[in-house]
């Protein structure tokens, strides 16, 4: 589903964020990216949805080499990828429903289909009854659920989550990860960057550890290990 081959990223300020990274993620994987702040986790996620480009190497996403794709092709790539952020990034003056439906409007989905898919996505995160609430009227956990609904509304093959539980208490964090796990069981490949040791240790999924832009561990059914 995703392959990185000899990928390096040097940002314009001279910082090397990734060094010669090789990585293979199969369809249907659930994978944790762990490592200290600044080790390159977000950079990997941004490369997958083409927010950043690599300086050298090759990246294949959903069977397609994305290293050299044109600007015009980026929206098509992103239609197959849902993204969830630590700080939610919801439209503040729009309801939960609008936040989810908007993701479909912008790609030209018709009204009837928008209604059907938005209802299904909100229902799958258990928030259909709060469809008319504004983000400020929702708890942090509920806001993250809306973000997940927005990310999956278009049935993506890949879901990328950058510290999705970073602003949540432990119980809510666990609920959110269980939700991501249910989405994964239905076939979506999930990649989650996290600092949350207890979640990683409880889930026993594949763990990729980074340090200083290098892959230092790749383990099936792994644990967090190491510094935060
Ligand atoms: P993590 O997600 O593990 O905290 P990042 O991928 O965000 O790590 O960052 C890796 C390194 O790249 C860090 O040293 C960070 O400061 C640097 N970095 C990240 N984004 C940028 C950017 N846009 N410009 C310059 N340096 C960046």
């Amino acid at each position: 589903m995703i392959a990185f081959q000899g990928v390096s990223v040097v940002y314009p300020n001279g910082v090397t964020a990734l060094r010669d990274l090789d990585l293979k993620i199969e369809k249907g994987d659930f994978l944790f990216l762990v490592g200290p702040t600044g080790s390159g986790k977000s950079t990997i996620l941004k490369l997958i949805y083409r927010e950043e480009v690599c300086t050298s190497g090759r990246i294949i996403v959903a069977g397609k080499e994305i290293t050299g794709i044109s600007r015009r092709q980026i929206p098509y790539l992103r239609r197959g990828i849902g993204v969830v952020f630590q700080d939610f990034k919801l439209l503040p003056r729009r309801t939960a429903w609008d936040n989810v439906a908007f993701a479909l409007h912008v790609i030209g989905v018709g009204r009837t289909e928008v209604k059907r898919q938005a209802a299904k996505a909100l229902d799958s995160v258990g928030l259909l009854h709060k469809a008319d609430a504004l983000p400020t009227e929702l708890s942090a956990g509920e806001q993250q659920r809306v973000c997940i609904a927005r990310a999956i509304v278009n049935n993506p093959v890949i879901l990328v989550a950058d510290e999705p539980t970073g602003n949540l208490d432990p119980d809510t964090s666990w609920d959110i990860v269980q939700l991501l796990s249910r989405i994964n069981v239905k076939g979506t490949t999930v990649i989650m960057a996290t600092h949350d040791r207890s979640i990683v240790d409880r889930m026993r999924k594949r763990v990729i550890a980074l340090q200083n832009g290098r892959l230092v561990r790749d383990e099936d059914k792994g644990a967090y290990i190491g510094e935060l």
Side-chain angles (χ1 to χ4, degrees):
M1 178 57 67
I2 297 171
F4 280 45
Q5 297 168 354
V7 171
S8 296
V9 172
V10 183
Y11 282 113
N13 61 356
V15 171
T16 301
L18 292 178
R19 299 163 201 267
D20 197 21
L21 185 83
D22 291 310
L23 179 62
K24 234 186 182 158
I25 302 171
E26 306 295 341
K27 185 171 170 15
D29 268 0
F30 190 117
L31 176 141
F32 288 115
L33 281 180
V34 304
T37 301
S39 57
K41 304 182 295 297
S42 295
T43 301
I44 290 182
L45 301 183
K46 286 177 183 165
L47 289 170
I48 293 171
Y49 61 93
R50 205 35 160 74
E51 176 80 20
E52 294 291 349
V53 287
C54 57
T55 316
S56 58
R58 269 160 51 96
I59 300 173
I60 291 142
V61 174
K64 198 171 173 350
E65 163 138 26
I66 64 159
T67 328
I69 63 171
S70 68
R71 201 170 270 277
R72 269 191 317 132
Q73 290 173 295
I74 295 173
Y76 296 98
L77 166 75
R78 291 196 183 145
R79 275 178 209 186
I81 306 173
V83 185
V84 177
F85 304 96
Q86 175 173 2
D87 58 355
F88 316 139
K89 298 194 195 299
L90 292 170
L91 300 169
R93 280 179 285 279
R94 299 297 188 120
T95 62
W97 177 274
D98 288 345
N99 268 281
V100 175
F102 188 67
L104 293 172
H105 280 308
V106 293
I107 58 169
V109 175
R111 272 182 59 172
T112 317
E113 194 55 18
V114 169
K115 257 187 157 166
R116 197 184 67 80
Q117 282 183 234
K120 188 172 157 222
L122 276 170
D123 192 34
S124 70
V125 302
L127 275 186
L128 196 50
H129 65 295
K130 299 232 170 157
D132 294 330
L134 293 169
T136 47
E137 296 165 338
L138 297 169
S139 70
E142 288 170 337
Q143 289 182 58
Q144 193 56 296
R145 282 172 185 273
V146 175
C147 296
I148 293 170
R150 176 181 62 185
I152 61 167
V153 71
N154 197 30
N155 294 317
V157 287
I158 298 166
L159 182 66
V160 160
D162 198 350
E163 303 264 2
T165 62
N167 288 337
L168 307 176
D169 63 65
D171 285 345
T172 311
S173 296
W174 183 243
D175 290 344
I176 290 292
V177 172
Q178 291 301 105
L179 179 55
L180 295 178
S181 178
R182 285 200 294 277
I183 292 165
N184 170 248
V185 167
K186 287 189 203 148
T188 304
T189 304
V190 175
I191 305 150
M192 170 170 162
T194 186
H195 276 114
D196 197 324
R197 175 185 297 262
S198 68
I199 280 178
V200 174
D201 289 349
R202 251 172 112 177
M203 290 288 288
R204 308 304 289 184
K205 296 286 189 187
R206 183 174 171 197
V207 176
I208 288 191
L210 295 168
Q211 208 160 36
N212 233 333
R214 284 187 205 284
L215 196 157
V216 292
R217 188 160 54 93
D218 182 352
E219 229 176 23
D220 280 336
K221 300 200 174 105
Y224 192 99
I225 313 179
E227 294 163 40
L228 288 175

